[in-house]
Amino acid sequence: MAETTTTTLKDELIDQAGATPGDRIRVVLPDGTVHEGRLMPTHSFSRPGTLVLKLDNGYNIGLNTPEGTKLDLVAPEPAVSVPERKAPKGDKTLPTVQILGTGGTIASYVDYRTGAVHPAKRAEDLALMVPEVFDIANIRSKVVVEMFSEDMQPTEWQQIAEEVAKAFEAGARGVVIPHGTDTMGYTAAALAFMLPQLPGPVVLVGAQRSSDRPSSDAAMNLKAAVRIAATAHLGEVVVVMHDESDDTRLAIHRGVRVRKMHTSRRDAFRSINHPPLGYLEDDEVLLAAHIRPTTPLSEQKDGKVPRFLAMDEEVSMIQSYPGLWPDHILDVVKKGTILVGTGLGHVARRCLDAIRECTARGAYVVMTSQCLYGRTNMHVYATGRDLIHAGVISGEDMLPETAYVKLMWVLGQTQDPDEVRRNLHTNLVGEMDERTEMTTYLE
Ligand code: GLU
């Protein structure tokens, strides 16, 4: 993950004093207040401009360093040898779980010597964050990529999917993927389409609060993910996160049905238009009846996990809003687009000609709703009926981002218009339901 690169007054003061993290420094603020302690390193979660000191009483304090602040090096950090953190030897009698690190808040661990938070660059660091996982499973771990999830691209989805398939082929019972929460739903959907027949669970897991904070959900989420990967009879890609804001229960969400619905709450993830697949409470996994079962490797051709990794990136998403410019549609749409329409699936009538032009040149235009809950229905109002006549395809009750990933994936598999349409209208991996009555699931 990229460390912050903005140079602030704090950085200049540190530079001038020749101090490095761990050194003992003295800070004199313009009002004469003096603070002495160890200089803490800057990390991905640091606020730029805030200087963090570890005081002699063990507490860290953050200091703003306005113009006029003085900073002196008192003593360099004494050389200490840090023992190498080694993962315990795997217990082969336990089910094997492969952890595939990708980055994000959950993959950051606290170095208790300095109190600093680091991205886990070594495979061991991921598992060692929560040593209890070694009692649940025979852990194998590997860092696949190390990045914030907003930087992920389809190439990373492909890389992760390939690693998942290889892990099962090498004997894993389940796979855990620690991941940044921002785009975890996109990756989950991509993996679900790329790996439609799985011999075991693929569990994406994240954390809303980093592990240096008392309210961190990282450890509990990771432990739950490992337990589900090690024990659940589940042949699909899921997301596991807190279900409530306290530490009572975790929810198991279907990867193609889940969305991050809050910026910071620990229970930010919600299943949309479909109930969760299950819960984990008191270390017990409770699964619903509507899960996708496993497909053992012995039933697969050559004992391999079938993977369909191709993605066509000439697909976009367009949010409908009052003022949406028809030219924007013409500029953006290449082979296909997901319209994130209002209500039942609408865009302003002034955009109709632009949409017609896109479909006439062969682009696929799929309608979803920014309401998220419920399904699109373009038969109710005249605008909707005109959109249907303009060639717009209903995304039914799919999440916009799932529809986006699906269209990329479908176009990656085939360019045959009939095949593309057939796939778009078919529920492939649980991403949409048959037309439902008004009792549609709503939390
Ligand atoms: N925005 C980053 C990401 O999604 C960090 C936050 C997180 O891990 O949830 O990777």
PDB file of all heavy atoms in Angstrom, residues 192-212:
ATOM      1  N   ALA A 192     -16.962 -14.856  -7.975  1.00  0.00           N
ATOM      2  CA  ALA A 192     -18.128 -15.740  -8.091  1.00  0.00           C
ATOM      3  C   ALA A 192     -18.380 -16.115  -9.552  1.00  0.00           C
ATOM      4  O   ALA A 192     -18.684 -17.272  -9.859  1.00  0.00           O
ATOM      5  CB  ALA A 192     -19.356 -15.062  -7.480  1.00  0.00           C
ATOM      6  N   PHE A 193     -18.260 -15.145 -10.459  1.00  0.00           N
ATOM      7  CA  PHE A 193     -18.476 -15.470 -11.874  1.00  0.00           C
ATOM      8  C   PHE A 193     -17.303 -16.272 -12.444  1.00  0.00           C
ATOM      9  O   PHE A 193     -17.492 -17.175 -13.245  1.00  0.00           O
ATOM     10  CB  PHE A 193     -18.686 -14.190 -12.700  1.00  0.00           C
ATOM     11  CG  PHE A 193     -20.012 -13.523 -12.406  1.00  0.00           C
ATOM     12  CD1 PHE A 193     -20.064 -12.292 -11.774  1.00  0.00           C
ATOM     13  CD2 PHE A 193     -21.201 -14.152 -12.738  1.00  0.00           C
ATOM     14  CE1 PHE A 193     -21.283 -11.684 -11.485  1.00  0.00           C
ATOM     15  CE2 PHE A 193     -22.438 -13.553 -12.451  1.00  0.00           C
ATOM     16  CZ  PHE A 193     -22.467 -12.314 -11.831  1.00  0.00           C
ATOM     17  N   MET A 194     -16.090 -15.932 -12.022  1.00  0.00           N
ATOM     18  CA  MET A 194     -14.913 -16.609 -12.586  1.00  0.00           C
ATOM     19  C   MET A 194     -14.781 -18.056 -12.109  1.00  0.00           C
ATOM     20  O   MET A 194     -14.223 -18.892 -12.812  1.00  0.00           O
ATOM     21  CB  MET A 194     -13.643 -15.856 -12.170  1.00  0.00           C
ATOM     22  CG  MET A 194     -13.482 -14.512 -12.835  1.00  0.00           C
ATOM     23  SD  MET A 194     -12.061 -13.660 -12.097  1.00  0.00           S
ATOM     24  CE  MET A 194     -11.946 -12.237 -13.153  1.00  0.00           C
ATOM     25  N   LEU A 195     -15.279 -18.324 -10.884  1.00  0.00           N
ATOM     26  CA  LEU A 195     -15.126 -19.662 -10.284  1.00  0.00           C
ATOM     27  C   LEU A 195     -16.512 -20.187  -9.878  1.00  0.00           C
ATOM     28  O   LEU A 195     -16.850 -20.235  -8.697  1.00  0.00           O
ATOM     29  CB  LEU A 195     -14.211 -19.577  -9.050  1.00  0.00           C
ATOM     30  CG  LEU A 195     -12.822 -18.964  -9.266  1.00  0.00           C
ATOM     31  CD1 LEU A 195     -12.147 -18.665  -7.932  1.00  0.00           C
ATOM     32  CD2 LEU A 195     -11.946 -19.900 -10.092  1.00  0.00           C
ATOM     33  N   PRO A 196     -17.333 -20.572 -10.865  1.00  0.00           N
ATOM     34  CA  PRO A 196     -18.730 -20.905 -10.528  1.00  0.00           C
ATOM     35  C   PRO A 196     -18.919 -22.262  -9.854  1.00  0.00           C
ATOM     36  O   PRO A 196     -19.983 -22.521  -9.300  1.00  0.00           O
ATOM     37  CB  PRO A 196     -19.431 -20.875 -11.885  1.00  0.00           C
ATOM     38  CG  PRO A 196     -18.351 -21.122 -12.888  1.00  0.00           C
ATOM     39  CD  PRO A 196     -17.075 -20.607 -12.313  1.00  0.00           C
ATOM     40  N   GLN A 197     -17.895 -23.136  -9.916  1.00  0.00           N
ATOM     41  CA  GLN A 197     -18.050 -24.447  -9.262  1.00  0.00           C
ATOM     42  C   GLN A 197     -16.895 -24.638  -8.302  1.00  0.00           C
ATOM     43  O   GLN A 197     -15.773 -24.948  -8.719  1.00  0.00           O
ATOM     44  CB  GLN A 197     -18.052 -25.559 -10.296  1.00  0.00           C
ATOM     45  CG  GLN A 197     -19.351 -25.623 -11.062  1.00  0.00           C
ATOM     46  CD  GLN A 197     -19.200 -26.411 -12.320  1.00  0.00           C
ATOM     47  OE1 GLN A 197     -18.307 -26.152 -13.130  1.00  0.00           O
ATOM     48  NE2 GLN A 197     -20.050 -27.397 -12.480  1.00  0.00           N
ATOM     49  N   LEU A 198     -17.171 -24.483  -7.044  1.00  0.00           N
ATOM     50  CA  LEU A 198     -16.089 -24.499  -6.056  1.00  0.00           C
ATOM     51  C   LEU A 198     -16.168 -25.733  -5.160  1.00  0.00           C
ATOM     52  O   LEU A 198     -17.260 -26.125  -4.742  1.00  0.00           O
ATOM     53  CB  LEU A 198     -16.185 -23.242  -5.187  1.00  0.00           C
ATOM     54  CG  LEU A 198     -15.721 -21.940  -5.849  1.00  0.00           C
ATOM     55  CD1 LEU A 198     -16.163 -20.737  -5.029  1.00  0.00           C
ATOM     56  CD2 LEU A 198     -14.195 -21.947  -6.010  1.00  0.00           C
ATOM     57  N   PRO A 199     -15.011 -26.284  -4.826  1.00  0.00           N
ATOM     58  CA  PRO A 199     -15.023 -27.435  -3.922  1.00  0.00           C
ATOM     59  C   PRO A 199     -15.182 -27.045  -2.454  1.00  0.00           C
ATOM     60  O   PRO A 199     -15.369 -27.903  -1.587  1.00  0.00           O
ATOM     61  CB  PRO A 199     -13.652 -28.088  -4.157  1.00  0.00           C
ATOM     62  CG  PRO A 199     -12.811 -27.064  -4.803  1.00  0.00           C
ATOM     63  CD  PRO A 199     -13.692 -26.006  -5.393  1.00  0.00           C
ATOM     64  N   GLY A 200     -15.093 -25.751  -2.153  1.00  0.00           N
ATOM     65  CA  GLY A 200     -15.211 -25.310  -0.757  1.00  0.00           C
ATOM     66  C   GLY A 200     -15.452 -23.819  -0.706  1.00  0.00           C
ATOM     67  O   GLY A 200     -15.524 -23.148  -1.740  1.00  0.00           O
ATOM     68  N   PRO A 201     -15.579 -23.284   0.526  1.00  0.00           N
ATOM     69  CA  PRO A 201     -15.874 -21.850   0.653  1.00  0.00           C
ATOM     70  C   PRO A 201     -14.706 -20.952   0.278  1.00  0.00           C
ATOM     71  O   PRO A 201     -13.553 -21.280   0.554  1.00  0.00           O
ATOM     72  CB  PRO A 201     -16.185 -21.680   2.150  1.00  0.00           C
ATOM     73  CG  PRO A 201     -16.021 -22.994   2.799  1.00  0.00           C
ATOM     74  CD  PRO A 201     -15.481 -23.980   1.826  1.00  0.00           C
ATOM     75  N   VAL A 202     -15.046 -19.830  -0.343  1.00  0.00           N
ATOM     76  CA  VAL A 202     -14.067 -18.757  -0.572  1.00  0.00           C
ATOM     77  C   VAL A 202     -14.599 -17.559   0.215  1.00  0.00           C
ATOM     78  O   VAL A 202     -15.672 -17.038  -0.084  1.00  0.00           O
ATOM     79  CB  VAL A 202     -13.953 -18.416  -2.074  1.00  0.00           C
ATOM     80  CG1 VAL A 202     -13.048 -17.211  -2.283  1.00  0.00           C
ATOM     81  CG2 VAL A 202     -13.410 -19.623  -2.835  1.00  0.00           C
ATOM     82  N   VAL A 203     -13.861 -17.166   1.235  1.00  0.00           N
ATOM     83  CA  VAL A 203     -14.375 -16.181   2.189  1.00  0.00           C
ATOM     84  C   VAL A 203     -13.576 -14.889   2.097  1.00  0.00           C
ATOM     85  O   VAL A 203     -12.390 -14.861   2.435  1.00  0.00           O
ATOM     86  CB  VAL A 203     -14.291 -16.731   3.632  1.00  0.00           C
ATOM     87  CG1 VAL A 203     -14.983 -15.769   4.593  1.00  0.00           C
ATOM     88  CG2 VAL A 203     -14.887 -18.123   3.729  1.00  0.00           C
ATOM     89  N   LEU A 204     -14.216 -13.839   1.631  1.00  0.00           N
ATOM     90  CA  LEU A 204     -13.563 -12.527   1.662  1.00  0.00           C
ATOM     91  C   LEU A 204     -13.873 -11.884   3.006  1.00  0.00           C
ATOM     92  O   LEU A 204     -15.007 -11.977   3.495  1.00  0.00           O
ATOM     93  CB  LEU A 204     -14.071 -11.632   0.532  1.00  0.00           C
ATOM     94  CG  LEU A 204     -13.490 -11.991  -0.819  1.00  0.00           C
ATOM     95  CD1 LEU A 204     -14.505 -12.722  -1.657  1.00  0.00           C
ATOM     96  CD2 LEU A 204     -13.008 -10.760  -1.558  1.00  0.00           C
ATOM     97  N   VAL A 205     -12.872 -11.236   3.554  1.00  0.00           N
ATOM     98  CA  VAL A 205     -13.059 -10.654   4.879  1.00  0.00           C
ATOM     99  C   VAL A 205     -12.275  -9.354   4.967  1.00  0.00           C
ATOM    100  O   VAL A 205     -11.213  -9.224   4.368  1.00  0.00           O
ATOM    101  CB  VAL A 205     -12.641 -11.679   5.970  1.00  0.00           C
ATOM    102  CG1 VAL A 205     -11.172 -12.026   5.900  1.00  0.00           C
ATOM    103  CG2 VAL A 205     -12.988 -11.180   7.358  1.00  0.00           C
ATOM    104  N   GLY A 206     -12.832  -8.392   5.687  1.00  0.00           N
ATOM    105  CA  GLY A 206     -12.156  -7.102   5.833  1.00  0.00           C
ATOM    106  C   GLY A 206     -12.280  -6.589   7.239  1.00  0.00           C
ATOM    107  O   GLY A 206     -12.780  -7.292   8.132  1.00  0.00           O
ATOM    108  N   ALA A 207     -11.822  -5.386   7.445  1.00  0.00           N
ATOM    109  CA  ALA A 207     -11.967  -4.749   8.751  1.00  0.00           C
ATOM    110  C   ALA A 207     -12.293  -3.283   8.523  1.00  0.00           C
ATOM    111  O   ALA A 207     -11.720  -2.642   7.641  1.00  0.00           O
ATOM    112  CB  ALA A 207     -10.689  -4.881   9.563  1.00  0.00           C
ATOM    113  N   GLN A 208     -13.209  -2.781   9.308  1.00  0.00           N
ATOM    114  CA  GLN A 208     -13.573  -1.363   9.225  1.00  0.00           C
ATOM    115  C   GLN A 208     -12.662  -0.508  10.106  1.00  0.00           C
ATOM    116  O   GLN A 208     -12.543   0.671   9.897  1.00  0.00           O
ATOM    117  CB  GLN A 208     -15.028  -1.174   9.656  1.00  0.00           C
ATOM    118  CG  GLN A 208     -16.044  -1.677   8.651  1.00  0.00           C
ATOM    119  CD  GLN A 208     -16.211  -0.699   7.513  1.00  0.00           C
ATOM    120  OE1 GLN A 208     -15.413  -0.681   6.570  1.00  0.00           O
ATOM    121  NE2 GLN A 208     -17.234   0.131   7.582  1.00  0.00           N
ATOM    122  N   ARG A 209     -12.060  -1.147  11.118  1.00  0.00           N
ATOM    123  CA  ARG A 209     -11.183  -0.401  12.035  1.00  0.00           C
ATOM    124  C   ARG A 209      -9.843  -1.133  12.114  1.00  0.00           C
ATOM    125  O   ARG A 209      -9.819  -2.347  12.326  1.00  0.00           O
ATOM    126  CB  ARG A 209     -11.783  -0.350  13.448  1.00  0.00           C
ATOM    127  CG  ARG A 209     -13.254  -0.036  13.503  1.00  0.00           C
ATOM    128  CD  ARG A 209     -13.518   1.464  13.608  1.00  0.00           C
ATOM    129  NE  ARG A 209     -14.944   1.740  13.437  1.00  0.00           N
ATOM    130  CZ  ARG A 209     -15.851   1.697  14.408  1.00  0.00           C
ATOM    131  NH1 ARG A 209     -15.457   1.414  15.644  1.00  0.00           N
ATOM    132  NH2 ARG A 209     -17.123   1.941  14.162  1.00  0.00           N
ATOM    133  N   SER A 210      -8.752  -0.397  11.997  1.00  0.00           N
ATOM    134  CA  SER A 210      -7.442  -1.041  11.961  1.00  0.00           C
ATOM    135  C   SER A 210      -7.078  -1.641  13.317  1.00  0.00           C
ATOM    136  O   SER A 210      -7.647  -1.280  14.349  1.00  0.00           O
ATOM    137  CB  SER A 210      -6.379  -0.047  11.514  1.00  0.00           C
ATOM    138  OG  SER A 210      -6.350   1.049  12.397  1.00  0.00           O
ATOM    139  N   SER A 211      -6.117  -2.562  13.284  1.00  0.00           N
ATOM    140  CA  SER A 211      -5.859  -3.377  14.477  1.00  0.00           C
ATOM    141  C   SER A 211      -5.140  -2.617  15.586  1.00  0.00           C
ATOM    142  O   SER A 211      -4.926  -3.170  16.660  1.00  0.00           O
ATOM    143  CB  SER A 211      -5.093  -4.640  14.091  1.00  0.00           C
ATOM    144  OG  SER A 211      -4.062  -4.306  13.212  1.00  0.00           O
ATOM    145  N   ASP A 212      -4.774  -1.338  15.362  1.00  0.00           N
ATOM    146  CA  ASP A 212      -4.198  -0.571  16.475  1.00  0.00           C
ATOM    147  C   ASP A 212      -5.285   0.123  17.287  1.00  0.00           C
ATOM    148  O   ASP A 212      -4.995   0.801  18.250  1.00  0.00           O
ATOM    149  CB  ASP A 212      -3.208   0.484  15.948  1.00  0.00           C
ATOM    150  CG  ASP A 212      -3.853   1.449  14.957  1.00  0.00           C
ATOM    151  OD1 ASP A 212      -4.794   1.021  14.253  1.00  0.00           O
ATOM    152  OD2 ASP A 212      -3.431   2.607  14.895  1.00  0.00           O
TER     153      ASP A 212
END
